Amino acid sequence: MALNASELKVGDTYTERLVEDLKRTQIVQYAGASGDYNPLHTDEVFTTQVAGYPSVFAHGMLTMGMTGRMLTNHVGDGRLSKFGVRFTSQVWPGDTLDSTATVEGLREEGGEHFVDLSVETVNQDGVKVLTGYAAAKVDG
Amino acid sequence: MAIDKFPVEGSHIMMFARSVGDDNQIYHDDEYAKGTEPGSVIAPPTFAQSSAQFDPDYFLRPKTGQDWFGSGKEPTGVKKSSSGGGGGGGGGLHAEQHYEYHRHIKPGDVLTGTTKPGKTWEKEGKRSGKLVFTESVTEYRDQNGELAITATGVGVRTERPVDSK
């Protein structure tokens, strides 16, 4: 369901749990679907013994993909016009992530209405793992 | 990087949506999708990332007959070179990703991707030493030459592995 501009105001938030206790298998699933087979995400031996990390960790794009699910659930299918993020901290197996979209503004462009959102995804310790923005077409 | 042919396929969209934990029917159910505003199955917002599958030279995919740096008998399949410690292994980490959607892609689309280098900048990081950021901008065009998605990625190389704490 699409959002309606008349029902939105600056500061409104929408939050969704993206994942609880992220499994290594989901990271493998993402590697397979996206085609990014970097062993840092799936190969514990390489990642701990060669790359020097405590364990494999999620692709940033997996976190962005899950965050995108929160957004499309919020703004409706086919409504996004922009979505951009910075990866601010790594996401590890076992992490639980929650993501929030906050209305930053509403605007009209060429007769169409848009909502501008800020986006933030945090882990179970409240550490931001992703920050960003999105824009979506809304009903007028 | 150039992608000559990125055929957008329904089963690939379904697998991609599953991998990000999205069971929205619009990503796998044609009948359902007909009744939605887009009117057909569409791809999730970050699906263009999977164009890597169609990049013949993509360096993070093992290729037949070539060394692969992941573990087998040894922790890495590549003899120790001067690639240095951290950041590693995979040519750096992903720092930022931005998408502009000019239209939403769907099964049957055949995209091409053309990538141009963007800005480069450096920063001193507390957790990982010197950071070198590199931007690249990929334009995905459809079978009619129309711009569908502009994707801007920023990669970062670090001097050493990022401290997790």
Side-chain angles (χ1 to χ4, degrees), chain A residues 32 37 43 79 83 85 87 133, chain B residues 37 53 71 95 97-99:
Chain A
Y37 299 98
D43 184 338
R79 290 288 183 136
F83 177 26
V85 304
F87 303 107
Y133 60 87
Chain B
E37 185 180 67
Q53 302 276 19
S71 68
Q97 184 65 42
H98 306 266
Y99 292 107

Side-chain angles (χ1 to χ4, degrees), chain A residues 30 70 75 80 85 87 94 100 132:
Chain A
Y30 186 79
M70 176 280 288
V75 305
L80 279 181
V85 304
F87 303 107
T100 300

Side-chain angles (χ1 to χ4, degrees), chain A:
Chain A
M1 293 304 284
L3 298 171
N4 193 298
S6 64
E7 290 160 10
L8 291 168
K9 57 181 192 305
V10 171
D12 283 354
T13 61
Y14 173 82
T15 298
E16 220 175 83
R17 173 144 294 179
L18 299 185
V19 66
E20 196 161 335
D21 183 9
L22 175 68
K23 302 298 193 289
R24 285 171 177 78
T25 306
Q26 186 175 354
I27 301 175
V28 169
Q29 241 183 322
Y30 186 79
S34 69
D36 180 345
Y37 299 98
N38 193 333
L40 289 175
H41 305 305
T42 55
D43 184 338
E44 198 84 28
V45 174
F46 170 84
T47 306
T48 55
Q49 296 182 29
V50 179
Y53 287 96
S55 91
V56 295
F57 51 93
H59 306 72
M61 289 306 296
L62 171 54
T63 306
M64 186 177 189
M66 292 191 290
T67 301
R69 185 189 83 212
M70 176 280 288
L71 282 171
T72 50
N73 285 345
H74 183 41
V75 305
D77 297 322
R79 290 288 183 136
L80 279 181
S81 58
K82 276 183 193 177
F83 177 26
V85 304
R86 287 178 62 201
F87 303 107
T88 50
S89 195
Q90 278 159 299
V91 171
W92 306 94
D95 278 359
T96 292
L97 304 179
D98 293 300
S99 189
T100 300
T102 304
V103 175
E104 297 293 332
L106 293 153
R107 62 192 155 84
E108 209 181 317
E109 239 179 69
E112 295 188 317
H113 295 265
F114 291 87
V115 62
D116 289 308
L117 302 163
S118 60
V119 175
E120 191 175 286
T121 299
V122 299
N123 69 15
Q124 63 285 352
D125 300 318
V127 174
K128 286 180 204 170
V129 296
L130 173 154
T131 61
Y133 60 87
K137 206 167 93 150
V138 294
D139 293 337

Side-chain angles (χ1 to χ4, degrees), chain B residues 31-165:
Chain B
E31 283 307 310
Y32 166 85
K34 275 181 199 163
T36 63
E37 185 180 67
S40 75
V41 166
I42 56 171
T46 61
F47 180 74
Q49 188 69 12
S50 67
S51 65
Q53 302 276 19
F54 301 95
D55 177 355
D57 303 321
Y58 189 60
F59 72 110
L60 293 173
R61 177 180 66 243
K63 294 181 196 67
T64 310
Q66 294 180 23
D67 285 344
W68 175 246
F69 63 101
S71 68
K73 270 185 195 160
E74 303 295 330
T76 176
V78 171
K79 311 286 170 286
K80 190 67 186 163
S81 67
S82 58
S83 64
L93 299 172
H94 202 166
E96 296 179 31
Q97 184 65 42
H98 306 266
Y99 292 107
E100 266 181 78
Y101 307 101
H102 311 286
R103 77 167 178 80
H104 290 274
I105 56 176
K106 55 183 193 297
D109 282 335
V110 181
L111 307 179
T112 56
T114 315
T115 301
K116 293 179 193 136
K119 294 172 286 187
T120 300
W121 66 98
E122 287 184 10
K123 208 171 111 179
E124 199 61 35
K126 279 194 204 81
R127 296 183 300 158
S128 51
K130 192 172 84 171
L131 304 164
V132 181
F133 294 87
T134 315
E135 188 182 69
S136 62
V137 182
T138 304
E139 289 188 346
Y140 292 98
R141 290 180 183 275
D142 67 15
Q143 52 281 8
N144 303 316
E146 299 289 331
L147 191 57
I149 297 174
T150 308
T152 303
V154 178
V156 59
R157 284 173 185 275
T158 61
E159 264 175 352
R160 54 178 188 270
V162 182
D163 290 342
S164 55
K165 294 297 164 201

